[in-house]
Amino acid sequence: MALLDSSTPFLVLLPAAFSSPHIPQQLNCPRIMTMPAQQILEQADSCLKAGRYQELIPLYEQLEFQVSAIEIDAVPLNTIYEPLLASYLIAHDLHSARSLLHRIPEEYRTQAPQLATLIRVMELMRQWERQNGSLKDIYALLHQSRWNSSLAPLIALLQDSIQDRELDLLAKAYTSLPVQLAASRIWLEEDTAAEQLVATRGWRYDTSTGLLYPKAPEPTPNRAIGLQEFGQLADVVVHLEVKQESS
């Protein structure tokens, strides 16, 4: 597959990046047409500040491609890899998260503490998915770690998405459950858990029995990768392989 040069036009379609029904779904960011790296980064910052989180994966994927294959070193690497990895984790796309690790330069990985923390979060999420890990370990790591101002909103959303996923699993597994169990599973205070779940999830709470009655979660579509995104990703991989062979 031929590498693109700076004169090659390309178009990236923007699929829905996040599937949680609790994340706003308005799509107000314009489509990206042959956009320079700095402009892509500014567009991502704009979407992040406006709360349009579902746009971030295609934006950061486009930025990774632009900086890897066309505008080498146009923006700092910590404006690409940490936000993209966090965005994959928010979408619970652990496959894409693991694939990203193979594309991150090794010399950068050794000097990026926030990236190392996100990688550890990914590993804990994989353990949790296989039911041999603790959700509290993920919460503790996210809460105890220090995040810069650009990553902090994504980390807050990651916490919410993990909590939402666990609540969806509880709603599928139980027709009713004690409030103590629900609170312990999502790290909420027992005194306020019932009120929060009733208000935010539409669950029903019976004060006489102390039981919560979950509302069944709505099915959500998986994020699909378009052909152009796939081809673009392949170009990134080929470019990195060429760089490794020439170094």
Side-chain angles (χ1 to χ4, degrees):
M1 184 176 295
L3 294 178
L4 302 181
D5 58 34
S6 58
S7 63
T8 306
F10 52 89
L11 166 67
V12 176
L13 300 179
L14 299 183
F18 300 124
S19 59
S20 172
H22 306 284
I23 297 174
Q25 291 300 310
Q26 62 269 30
L27 301 177
N28 296 323
C29 289
R31 292 178 180 271
I32 313 167
M33 296 281 292
T34 319
M35 192 180 294
Q38 187 60 44
Q39 193 173 348
I40 298 172
L41 182 59
E42 292 172 358
Q43 185 68 65
D45 289 341
S46 176
C47 288
L48 184 59
K49 292 175 182 177
R52 298 195 291 269
Y53 302 108
Q54 74 282 355
E55 295 286 342
L56 292 178
I57 285 180
L59 281 166
Y60 285 122
E61 285 176 343
Q62 174 68 14
L63 182 61
E64 181 197 6
F65 169 74
Q66 188 80 1
V67 173
S68 298
I70 301 176
E71 297 181 72
I72 310 301
D73 300 328
V75 296
L77 295 183
N78 67 346
T79 63
I80 305 171
Y81 293 118
E82 284 89 333
L84 180 53
L85 181 55
S87 299
Y88 284 141
L89 296 182
I90 291 167
H92 206 82
D93 187 351
L94 300 184
H95 177 75
S96 294
R98 292 182 64 192
S99 297
L100 175 62
L101 298 189
H102 297 293
R103 306 196 302 271
I104 300 176
E106 185 62 32
E107 62 273 18
Y108 177 69
R109 287 183 59 171
T110 60
Q111 58 184 5
Q114 291 187 122
L115 177 63
T117 302
L118 284 170
I119 292 173
R120 178 57 182 158
V121 170
M122 183 196 71
E123 293 169 348
L124 290 173
M125 289 178 67
R126 292 181 62 207
Q127 295 174 13
W128 171 47
E129 190 177 58
R130 296 193 297 264
Q131 298 183 343
N132 61 356
S134 170
L135 193 65
K136 289 185 177 180
D137 290 341
I138 303 175
Y139 284 145
L141 182 57
L142 291 173
H143 278 281
Q144 293 168 5
S145 302
R146 300 185 64 180
W147 306 99
N148 62 32
S149 57
S150 61
L151 270 181
L154 288 173
I155 298 305
L157 188 65
L158 175 57
Q159 294 172 1
D160 289 344
S161 71
I162 292 172
Q163 188 178 80
D164 284 344
R165 187 173 179 85
E166 180 68 5
L167 288 171
D168 284 346
L169 293 175
L170 288 175
K172 292 176 182 178
Y174 295 93
T175 56
S176 65
L177 70 159
V179 65
Q180 298 92 333
L181 174 59
S184 65
R185 292 286 290 269
I186 56 175
W187 218 11
L188 287 178
E189 294 292 334
E190 186 177 321
D191 294 341
T192 60
E195 181 180 352
Q196 291 186 43
L197 292 173
V198 169
T200 62
R201 303 282 299 195
W203 290 18
R204 186 167 59 86
Y205 179 54
D206 188 335
T207 56
S208 63
T209 61
L211 292 178
L212 282 162
Y213 294 84
K215 179 181 178 181
E218 298 179 1
T220 54
N222 292 325
R223 175 179 178 265
I225 298 179
L227 291 176
Q228 287 177 308
E229 279 189 279
F230 183 81
Q232 177 177 301
L233 182 59
D235 278 330
V236 172
V237 173
V238 170
H239 178 74
L240 292 176
E241 289 176 348
V242 170
K243 284 180 65 177
Q244 289 176 353
E245 292 175 358
S246 61
S247 59

